[in-house]
């Protein structure tokens, strides 16, 4: 973020794709972490015997997950495409080297 967002704020540049790809990779890692959290907490569902503090913790975890998913969606699907070069005809990935 310390590298990417100043570039985006300045209007982007021809090399912006590299830090965007780093951020996208971090988003994938965050998704894996959320999957692990869901597995450990039975989809962030407190047990029936959970006290109010435990329930509050799980409510906070659910909010964190919702906020993070929304944040990742906005960056990946709204912000980043604005600055990424358009794919060449017939190309569906930036990894092909045609950019």
């Amino acid at each position: 973020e310390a590298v990417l967002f100043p570039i985006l704020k300045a209007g982007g540049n021809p090399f912006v794709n590299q830090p965007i790809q780093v951020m996208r990779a971090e988003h994938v890692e965050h998704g894996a972490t959320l999957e692990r959290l869901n597995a450990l907490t039975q989809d962030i569902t407190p047990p029936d015997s959970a006290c109010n503090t435990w329930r509050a913790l799980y409510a906070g975890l659910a909010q964190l997950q919702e906020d993070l998913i929304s944040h990742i969606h906005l960056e990946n699907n709204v912000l980043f495409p604005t600055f990424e070069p358009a794919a060449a005809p017939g190309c569906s990935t930036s990894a092909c080297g045609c950019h």
Side-chain angles (χ1 to χ4, degrees):
E1 290 182 356
V3 172
L4 177 60
F5 288 107
I7 294 171
L8 298 182
K9 188 175 180 180
N13 69 40
F15 307 104
V16 74
N17 200 44
Q18 176 67 29
I20 286 175
Q21 292 308 314
V22 170
M23 289 290 294
R24 286 185 185 275
E26 289 177 2
H27 291 165
V28 170
E29 291 176 19
H30 296 324
T33 300
L34 289 177
E35 287 179 13
R36 179 75 175 130
L37 177 65
N38 284 331
L40 291 170
T41 63
Q42 289 70 46
D43 292 322
I44 311 180
T45 304
D48 292 337
S49 62
C51 66
N52 287 338
T53 303
W54 198 345
R55 291 181 186 283
L57 171 66
Y58 274 47
L61 289 173
Q63 185 64 56
L64 172 69
Q65 178 171 282
E66 182 180 320
D67 291 348
L68 184 57
I69 290 170
S70 176
H71 172 92
I72 289 170
H73 164 75
L74 287 172
E75 285 186 354
N76 283 357
N77 300 307
V78 178
L79 179 63
F80 296 163
T82 302
F83 293 93
E84 293 173 312
C91 174
S92 62
T93 177
S94 62
C96 70
C98 63
H99 303 287

